[in-house]
């Protein structure tokens, strides 16, 4: 990270200043990013510049990560289907309201559905 001062007349720049080329003879593997902080602060240095390397393709993915990806995909599909299932909406809303003010309770309906569908998936696939 570096503090940046632009030439006269340029207040700030935000975004990619250079990107890696995907084709051509010269393919640089680094990306130059400039950011301008807009959050309130007492500091005057709000411009930053970063040099980021292009991501490397992953070759060895563990079986644990593959199973986590599979679980996420399947639970997401279950959540999407359950949110639209007219036979379960009333029961899910009642169960959500009953648990939302308890310690550790889910505060949004979507979070509750992820919990419920995750438990369903785990019970069906763990034993």
């Amino acid at each position: 990270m570096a503090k940046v001062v632009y030439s006269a007349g340029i207040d700030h720049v935000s975004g990619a200043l250079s990107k890696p080329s995907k084709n051509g003879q010269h393919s640089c593997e680094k990306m130059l990013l400039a950011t301008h902080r807009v959050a309130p602060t007492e500091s005057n240095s709000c411009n930053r510049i970063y040099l980021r390397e292009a991501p490397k393709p992953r070759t060895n993915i563990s079986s644990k990560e593959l199973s986590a990806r599979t679980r996420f995909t399947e639970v997401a599909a279950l959540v999407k289907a359950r949110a639209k299932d007219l036979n379960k909406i009333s029961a899910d809303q009642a169960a959500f309201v009953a648990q939302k003010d308890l310690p550790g309770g889910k505060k949004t309906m979507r979070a509750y559905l992820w919990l419920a569908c995750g438990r369903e998936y785990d019970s069906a696939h763990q034993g």
Side-chain angles (χ1 to χ4, degrees), residues 7 13 19 33 45 47 56 60 76 92-93 110 117-118 125:
S7 61
V13 176
K19 293 183 180 179
L33 296 169
S45 53
N47 293 318
K56 305 282 188 254
N60 51 353
D92 283 342
Q93 287 175 342
R110 174 126 347 242
C117 292
H125 290 85

Side-chain angles (χ1 to χ4, degrees), residues 54-81:
K56 305 282 188 254
R58 295 184 56 200
T59 55
N60 51 353
I61 300 172
S62 68
S63 61
K64 184 178 179 181
E65 185 175 351
L66 285 174
S67 64
R69 288 180 182 187
T70 303
R71 181 185 185 275
F72 180 86
T73 303
E74 292 187 19
V75 171
L78 288 172
V79 167
K80 187 175 181 179

Side-chain angles (χ1 to χ4, degrees), residues 40-58:
T41 183
E42 295 178 5
S43 173
N44 288 337
S45 53
C46 55
N47 293 318
R48 297 282 190 267
I49 206 161
Y50 303 90
L51 187 61
R52 188 178 122 194
E53 290 189 21
K56 305 282 188 254
R58 295 184 56 200

Side-chain angles (χ1 to χ4, degrees), residues 16-49:
L17 300 177
S18 70
K19 293 183 180 179
S21 175
K22 292 185 178 179
N23 53 12
Q25 293 179 350
H26 179 72
S27 178
C28 184
E29 294 186 10
K30 296 187 177 166
M31 180 181 223
L32 190 62
L33 296 169
T35 60
H36 177 73
R37 185 183 62 235
V38 293
T41 183
E42 295 178 5
S43 173
N44 288 337
S45 53
C46 55
N47 293 318
R48 297 282 190 267
I49 206 161

